[in-house]
Amino acid sequence: MPCTPETTIFSKGTRTTKEVAYVTAGRLIQQYQQFCLSKGIDFIRIQSVRPHDDTTLFCSAGMQQYKPLFSDPSHSGTVANSQACLRMGDLDEIGDGTHLLHFTMLGLFSFREMTVGNAIDFSLEFLGTLGLVPDHVTIHPDRLVEWTPLYGARVPIVPDPECMWSDGSISGYCTEFYKDGVEIGNIVNPLGSCIDVGFGVERLDMIVNGTPQDDALGTLCETVMTIVESGYRPGNKEQGYVLRKLLRRIHKMGGTLDHPFFKEEVERQKRLRAKYLRLRDRHSDMSPDWWFDTHGIDLSDIRESMEE
Protein backbone atom coordinates (compact mmCIF):
# COMPACT_ATOMS: atom_id res chain seq x y z
CA MET A 1 0.00 0.00 0.00
CA PRO A 2 1.65 3.26 -1.06
CA CYS A 3 1.46 6.42 1.01
CA THR A 4 -0.81 7.98 -1.56
CA PRO A 5 -4.06 9.59 -0.39
CA GLU A 6 -7.34 9.20 -2.17
CA THR A 7 -8.17 11.60 -4.98
CA THR A 8 -10.73 14.40 -4.74
CA ILE A 9 -12.18 15.88 -7.95
CA PHE A 10 -12.48 19.65 -8.35
CA SER A 11 -13.87 21.72 -11.20
CA LYS A 12 -10.42 22.98 -12.15
CA GLY A 13 -8.66 19.64 -12.13
CA THR A 14 -7.76 16.73 -9.93
CA ARG A 15 -6.07 17.13 -6.56
CA THR A 16 -5.27 14.63 -3.87
CA THR A 17 -6.78 15.22 -0.45
CA LYS A 18 -3.28 16.03 0.79
CA GLU A 19 -2.87 18.72 -1.86
CA VAL A 20 -6.26 20.14 -0.94
CA ALA A 21 -5.31 20.14 2.75
CA TYR A 22 -2.07 21.94 1.93
CA VAL A 23 -3.98 24.68 0.13
CA THR A 24 -6.74 25.11 2.71
CA ALA A 25 -4.32 25.00 5.65
CA GLY A 26 -2.13 27.55 3.90
CA ARG A 27 -5.12 29.85 3.57
CA LEU A 28 -5.83 29.54 7.29
CA ILE A 29 -2.25 30.47 8.11
CA GLN A 30 -2.42 33.42 5.73
CA GLN A 31 -5.72 34.54 7.23
CA TYR A 32 -4.27 34.37 10.74
CA GLN A 33 -1.18 36.28 9.63
CA GLN A 34 -3.30 39.06 8.16
CA PHE A 35 -5.45 39.15 11.29
CA CYS A 36 -2.38 39.56 13.50
CA LEU A 37 -0.83 42.21 11.27
CA SER A 38 -4.12 44.14 11.31
CA LYS A 39 -3.70 44.30 15.10
CA GLY A 40 -0.16 45.63 14.76
CA ILE A 41 1.36 42.31 15.89
CA ASP A 42 4.51 41.08 14.15
CA PHE A 43 4.20 37.64 12.58
CA ILE A 44 6.76 35.00 11.59
CA ARG A 45 6.25 31.63 9.87
CA ILE A 46 8.49 28.65 10.72
CA GLN A 47 8.15 25.44 8.69
CA SER A 48 11.06 23.47 10.17
CA VAL A 49 10.56 21.19 13.18
CA ARG A 50 14.12 21.77 14.40
CA PRO A 51 13.97 22.55 18.14
CA HIS A 52 14.83 25.97 19.47
CA ASP A 53 16.60 24.52 22.52
CA ASP A 54 17.97 21.17 23.67
CA THR A 55 14.99 20.13 25.80
CA THR A 56 13.29 18.25 22.93
CA LEU A 57 14.38 16.43 19.78
CA PHE A 58 11.90 18.41 17.70
CA CYS A 59 10.00 21.63 18.21
CA SER A 60 6.90 20.58 20.12
CA ALA A 61 5.20 23.95 20.66
CA GLY A 62 5.15 27.41 19.16
CA MET A 63 6.22 28.93 22.46
CA GLN A 64 9.50 27.01 22.63
CA GLN A 65 11.66 29.71 21.06
CA TYR A 66 10.20 32.33 23.39
CA LYS A 67 10.93 30.65 26.72
CA PRO A 68 13.75 33.09 27.57
CA LEU A 69 11.34 35.99 27.01
CA PHE A 70 8.65 34.44 29.19
CA SER A 71 11.23 34.07 31.96
CA ASP A 72 12.72 37.56 31.64
CA PRO A 73 10.74 39.91 33.92
CA SER A 74 12.26 42.95 32.21
CA HIS A 75 10.93 42.03 28.76
CA SER A 76 7.54 43.10 27.44
CA GLY A 77 5.97 42.80 24.01
CA THR A 78 3.74 40.66 21.81
CA VAL A 79 4.48 38.50 18.77
CA ALA A 80 2.61 35.91 16.69
CA ASN A 81 3.72 32.98 14.57
CA SER A 82 2.90 29.77 12.79
CA GLN A 83 5.21 26.97 13.89
CA ALA A 84 5.63 23.46 12.52
CA CYS A 85 5.58 21.05 15.47
CA LEU A 86 6.23 17.36 16.01
CA ARG A 87 5.19 15.34 19.05
CA MET A 88 5.98 11.63 19.16
CA GLY A 89 3.80 11.11 22.23
CA ASP A 90 0.72 10.60 20.04
CA LEU A 91 2.32 7.89 17.86
CA ASP A 92 -0.09 5.18 18.99
CA GLU A 93 -3.16 7.42 18.53
CA ILE A 94 -2.62 8.62 14.97
CA GLY A 95 -5.33 7.77 12.50
CA ASP A 96 -8.19 8.42 14.94
CA GLY A 97 -9.22 11.56 13.08
CA THR A 98 -7.83 14.12 15.55
CA HIS A 99 -4.29 13.12 16.59
CA LEU A 100 -1.27 13.89 14.45
CA LEU A 101 2.49 13.68 14.88
CA HIS A 102 3.35 16.67 12.70
CA PHE A 103 1.11 19.72 12.78
CA THR A 104 1.19 23.50 12.61
CA MET A 105 0.33 25.75 15.52
CA LEU A 106 -0.91 29.31 15.18
CA GLY A 107 0.47 31.19 18.15
CA LEU A 108 0.19 34.50 19.96
CA PHE A 109 2.72 35.24 22.69
CA SER A 110 2.55 38.25 24.95
CA PHE A 111 5.15 38.98 27.59
CA ARG A 112 3.67 41.08 30.39
CA GLU A 113 1.65 43.15 27.90
CA MET A 114 -1.71 41.51 27.05
CA THR A 115 -4.13 40.32 29.72
CA VAL A 116 -6.14 37.10 29.74
CA GLY A 117 -9.18 39.19 28.83
CA ASN A 118 -7.31 40.67 25.85
CA ALA A 119 -6.34 37.16 24.73
CA ILE A 120 -9.92 35.91 25.01
CA ASP A 121 -11.19 38.83 22.91
CA PHE A 122 -8.42 38.26 20.36
CA SER A 123 -9.16 34.53 20.10
CA LEU A 124 -12.93 34.80 19.81
CA GLU A 125 -12.57 37.56 17.21
CA PHE A 126 -10.16 35.46 15.13
CA LEU A 127 -12.43 32.42 15.33
CA GLY A 128 -15.27 34.69 14.26
CA THR A 129 -13.38 35.55 11.06
CA LEU A 130 -13.52 31.82 10.30
CA GLY A 131 -17.22 31.66 11.06
CA LEU A 132 -16.59 29.71 14.25
CA VAL A 133 -18.11 30.08 17.69
CA PRO A 134 -16.87 27.51 20.23
CA ASP A 135 -19.51 25.11 21.51
CA HIS A 136 -17.99 25.63 24.94
CA VAL A 137 -14.77 26.58 26.68
CA THR A 138 -13.16 25.08 29.74
CA ILE A 139 -11.52 26.89 32.66
CA HIS A 140 -9.60 25.55 35.63
CA PRO A 141 -11.75 25.76 38.79
CA ASP A 142 -9.11 27.93 40.47
CA ARG A 143 -9.62 30.59 37.78
CA LEU A 144 -13.35 30.14 37.23
CA VAL A 145 -14.46 33.18 39.27
CA GLU A 146 -11.78 35.44 37.80
CA TRP A 147 -11.97 34.40 34.14
CA THR A 148 -15.67 33.62 33.59
CA PRO A 149 -16.69 37.31 33.40
CA LEU A 150 -14.02 37.86 30.73
CA TYR A 151 -16.09 35.78 28.30
CA GLY A 152 -19.12 38.00 28.90
CA ALA A 153 -21.66 35.20 28.35
CA ARG A 154 -20.45 34.82 24.74
CA VAL A 155 -19.87 31.08 25.10
CA PRO A 156 -20.81 28.33 27.60
CA ILE A 157 -18.16 27.61 30.23
CA VAL A 158 -17.30 24.22 31.72
CA PRO A 159 -14.99 23.83 34.75
CA ASP A 160 -12.09 21.46 34.09
CA PRO A 161 -9.35 20.67 36.64
CA GLU A 162 -7.14 19.49 33.74
CA CYS A 163 -6.81 23.06 32.44
CA MET A 164 -3.16 23.36 33.37
CA TRP A 165 -0.26 23.48 30.92
CA SER A 166 3.47 23.03 31.40
CA ASP A 167 6.46 22.42 29.19
CA GLY A 168 8.47 21.24 32.19
CA SER A 169 9.92 24.63 33.06
CA ILE A 170 7.13 27.15 32.44
CA SER A 171 3.54 26.50 33.44
CA GLY A 172 0.21 28.20 33.96
CA TYR A 173 -3.55 27.86 34.14
CA CYS A 174 -5.36 27.71 30.81
CA THR A 175 -8.73 27.96 29.12
CA GLU A 176 -9.52 25.72 26.15
CA PHE A 177 -11.82 26.13 23.13
CA TYR A 178 -13.96 23.21 21.88
CA LYS A 179 -15.93 22.72 18.68
CA ASP A 180 -17.75 19.54 17.69
CA GLY A 181 -16.11 17.75 20.60
CA VAL A 182 -12.58 18.65 19.47
CA GLU A 183 -10.19 21.01 21.23
CA ILE A 184 -9.25 23.60 18.61
CA GLY A 185 -7.16 25.95 20.72
CA ASN A 186 -6.29 27.31 24.12
CA ILE A 187 -4.98 30.25 26.09
CA VAL A 188 -2.30 29.62 28.69
CA ASN A 189 -1.38 32.19 31.34
CA PRO A 190 2.32 31.30 31.87
CA LEU A 191 3.79 32.45 35.17
CA GLY A 192 0.54 34.35 35.76
CA SER A 193 1.92 37.34 33.85
CA CYS A 194 2.21 36.23 30.21
CA ILE A 195 -0.04 34.94 27.43
CA ASP A 196 0.38 31.90 25.17
CA VAL A 197 -2.42 31.38 22.65
CA GLY A 198 -2.37 28.34 20.36
CA PHE A 199 -4.66 27.05 17.61
CA GLY A 200 -4.03 23.84 15.68
CA VAL A 201 -4.20 24.53 11.94
CA GLU A 202 -5.15 20.98 10.96
CA ARG A 203 -8.00 20.84 13.47
CA LEU A 204 -9.29 24.23 12.37
CA ASP A 205 -9.07 23.06 8.77
CA MET A 206 -11.05 19.94 9.64
CA ILE A 207 -13.79 21.97 11.38
CA VAL A 208 -13.94 24.94 9.01
CA ASN A 209 -13.34 23.28 5.64
CA GLY A 210 -14.26 19.66 6.32
CA THR A 211 -10.76 18.55 5.32
CA PRO A 212 -10.28 14.97 6.54
CA GLN A 213 -7.28 14.05 8.64
CA ASP A 214 -4.74 11.59 7.27
CA ASP A 215 -4.99 7.93 8.16
CA ALA A 216 -2.17 6.47 10.25
CA LEU A 217 -0.04 5.58 7.23
CA GLY A 218 -0.45 8.98 5.64
CA THR A 219 0.42 10.66 8.93
CA LEU A 220 3.63 8.63 9.19
CA CYS A 221 4.66 9.49 5.64
CA GLU A 222 3.99 13.19 6.13
CA THR A 223 5.94 13.18 9.38
CA VAL A 224 8.92 11.44 7.79
CA MET A 225 9.06 13.97 4.98
CA THR A 226 8.80 16.85 7.44
CA ILE A 227 11.76 15.49 9.42
CA VAL A 228 13.77 14.99 6.23
CA GLU A 229 12.91 18.48 4.96
CA SER A 230 14.05 19.87 8.32
CA GLY A 231 17.53 18.56 7.51
CA TYR A 232 17.74 15.21 9.32
CA ARG A 233 18.97 11.84 8.06
CA PRO A 234 18.37 8.32 9.41
CA GLY A 235 20.77 7.36 12.19
CA ASN A 236 21.15 5.51 15.47
CA LYS A 237 20.71 8.50 17.76
CA GLU A 238 18.23 11.25 18.54
CA GLN A 239 16.36 12.65 15.51
CA GLY A 240 17.97 10.14 13.16
CA TYR A 241 16.76 7.25 15.31
CA VAL A 242 13.20 8.63 15.34
CA LEU A 243 13.34 8.89 11.56
CA ARG A 244 14.44 5.27 11.24
CA LYS A 245 11.72 4.18 13.65
CA LEU A 246 9.04 5.85 11.54
CA LEU A 247 10.44 4.41 8.31
CA ARG A 248 10.31 0.93 9.84
CA ARG A 249 6.73 1.45 10.98
CA ILE A 250 5.67 2.50 7.48
CA HIS A 251 7.19 -0.70 6.12
CA LYS A 252 5.60 -2.81 8.85
CA MET A 253 2.17 -1.36 7.99
CA GLY A 254 2.60 -2.41 4.39
CA GLY A 255 3.27 1.08 3.13
CA THR A 256 5.96 2.48 0.90
CA LEU A 257 7.52 5.89 0.43
CA ASP A 258 9.07 7.22 -2.74
CA HIS A 259 12.30 8.36 -1.11
CA PRO A 260 15.79 6.83 -1.02
CA PHE A 261 15.80 6.79 2.80
CA PHE A 262 12.86 4.38 2.82
CA LYS A 263 14.44 1.96 0.38
CA GLU A 264 17.75 2.14 2.26
CA GLU A 265 16.07 1.38 5.59
CA VAL A 266 14.17 -1.61 4.20
CA GLU A 267 17.41 -3.08 2.84
CA ARG A 268 19.23 -2.25 6.07
CA GLN A 269 16.63 -4.12 8.12
CA LYS A 270 16.96 -7.16 5.87
CA ARG A 271 20.74 -7.17 6.40
CA LEU A 272 20.44 -6.74 10.17
CA ARG A 273 17.86 -9.50 10.42
CA ALA A 274 20.10 -11.89 8.50
CA LYS A 275 23.04 -10.90 10.70
CA TYR A 276 21.03 -11.48 13.86
CA LEU A 277 19.90 -14.92 12.71
CA ARG A 278 23.51 -15.79 11.99
CA LEU A 279 24.81 -14.63 15.39
CA ARG A 280 22.00 -15.17 17.87
CA ASP A 281 22.89 -18.73 18.91
CA ARG A 282 26.48 -17.72 19.73
CA HIS A 283 25.41 -14.65 21.69
CA SER A 284 22.08 -15.68 23.17
CA ASP A 285 23.07 -14.39 26.61
CA MET A 286 24.04 -10.88 25.48
CA SER A 287 21.96 -7.86 26.45
CA PRO A 288 19.94 -5.68 24.05
CA ASP A 289 22.44 -2.87 24.68
CA TRP A 290 25.30 -5.12 23.55
CA TRP A 291 23.49 -6.04 20.35
CA PHE A 292 22.80 -2.40 19.58
CA ASP A 293 26.22 -1.01 20.53
CA THR A 294 28.21 -3.81 18.88
CA HIS A 295 26.16 -4.63 15.79
CA GLY A 296 23.63 -1.80 15.45
CA ILE A 297 20.82 -4.31 15.96
CA ASP A 298 17.73 -3.15 17.84
CA LEU A 299 16.39 -6.43 19.23
CA SER A 300 12.86 -5.13 19.71
CA ASP A 301 12.64 -4.21 16.03
CA ILE A 302 14.27 -7.41 14.79
CA ARG A 303 12.09 -9.68 16.91
CA GLU A 304 9.01 -7.71 15.96
CA SER A 305 9.80 -8.11 12.27
CA MET A 306 10.30 -11.85 12.74
CA GLU A 307 6.77 -12.13 14.15
CA GLU A 308 5.17 -10.53 11.10
Side-chain angles (χ1 to χ4, degrees):
M1 176 182 178
C3 289
T4 304
E6 297 177 357
T7 298
T8 301
I9 306 299
F10 288 82
S11 59
K12 293 187 178 181
T14 302
R15 291 177 177 170
T16 65
T17 53
K18 177 50 61 181
E19 290 169 335
V20 173
Y22 181 82
V23 171
T24 55
R27 288 174 181 162
L28 282 172
I29 295 172
Q30 183 68 22
Q31 190 165 345
Y32 182 68
Q33 177 178 347
Q34 293 302 319
F35 180 77
C36 292
L37 293 176
S38 74
K39 302 290 185 182
I41 301 171
D42 290 339
F43 184 94
I44 60 173
R45 184 171 182 177
I46 306 168
Q47 294 177 285
S48 169
V49 294
R50 284 185 172 272
H52 299 281
D53 59 34
D54 60 2
T55 60
T56 59
L57 292 178
F58 304 100
C59 182
S60 59
M63 60 80 69
Q64 188 180 55
Q65 65 176 303
Y66 301 114
K67 287 196 288 186
L69 301 184
F70 280 118
S71 302
D72 181 359
S74 67
H75 182 82
S76 64
T78 301
V79 66
N81 73 7
S82 67
Q83 169 71 63
C85 300
L86 198 158
R87 297 177 186 172
M88 289 296 293
D90 289 334
L91 180 59
D92 293 328
E93 297 182 74
I94 58 173
D96 66 355
T98 59
H99 288 88
L100 298 168
L101 298 181
H102 162 247
F103 54 93
T104 299
M105 289 297 295
L106 303 177
L108 174 74
F109 312 97
S110 188
F111 318 103
R112 288 157 287 274
E113 190 170 73
M114 291 179 69
T115 65
V116 173
N118 296 150
I120 288 173
D121 292 341
F122 173 94
S123 300
L124 292 180
E125 184 180 348
F126 169 64
L127 291 175
T129 67
L130 304 179
L132 284 182
V133 177
D135 293 330
H136 72 274
V137 300
T138 56
I139 299 176
H140 193 281
D142 289 351
R143 289 294 179 268
L144 201 59
V145 172
E146 180 183 351
W147 290 1
T148 294
L150 303 178
Y151 279 101
R154 287 173 288 183
V155 61
I157 294 171
V158 177
D160 183 358
E162 298 297 316
C163 279
M164 292 284 294
W165 188 90
S166 174
D167 79 327
S169 60
I170 297 175
S171 61
Y173 291 104
C174 68
T175 176
E176 299 173 342
F177 300 84
Y178 286 83
K179 187 69 177 179
D180 297 341
V182 176
E183 182 192 348
I184 57 174
N186 65 13
I187 301 170
V188 185
N189 187 209
L191 308 174
S193 59
C194 299
I195 294 296
D196 173 0
V197 176
F199 290 100
V201 170
E202 289 77 9
R203 289 187 178 183
L204 286 177
D205 192 21
M206 178 178 66
I207 299 296
V208 174
N209 300 311
T211 304
Q213 298 292 303
D214 271 334
D215 60 15
L217 189 56
T219 296
L220 289 172
C221 292
E222 285 297 312
T223 303
V224 163
M225 293 311 301
T226 297
I227 295 173
V228 171
E229 290 164 3
S230 295
Y232 296 109
R233 299 178 59 85
N236 287 337
K237 295 181 179 180
E238 299 181 335
Q239 293 91 345
Y241 180 77
V242 173
L243 182 52
R244 274 189 172 159
K245 180 177 181 178
L246 296 179
L247 289 168
R248 290 195 296 269
R249 182 165 288 212
I250 291 171
H251 181 59
K252 179 185 176 184
M253 293 177 65
T256 186
L257 188 62
D258 186 19
H259 193 281
F261 287 166
F262 178 79
K263 299 176 179 65
E264 291 167 7
E265 183 59 26
V266 171
E267 291 303 315
R268 177 178 171 275
Q269 285 299 307
K270 290 179 181 177
R271 292 194 303 271
L272 290 178
R273 179 175 175 175
K275 187 176 185 179
Y276 172 71
L277 292 174
R278 189 172 66 251
L279 298 175
R280 65 176 175 178
D281 291 340
R282 278 186 284 165
H283 304 290
S284 59
D285 59 340
M286 302 307 290
S287 69
D289 286 343
W290 180 86
W291 280 101
F292 188 78
D293 294 340
T294 307
H295 297 287
I297 294 175
D298 188 324
L299 287 188
S300 61
D301 287 329
I302 294 296
R303 289 169 177 168
E304 187 177 79
S305 68
M306 292 175 66
E307 294 172 358
E308 295 175 4

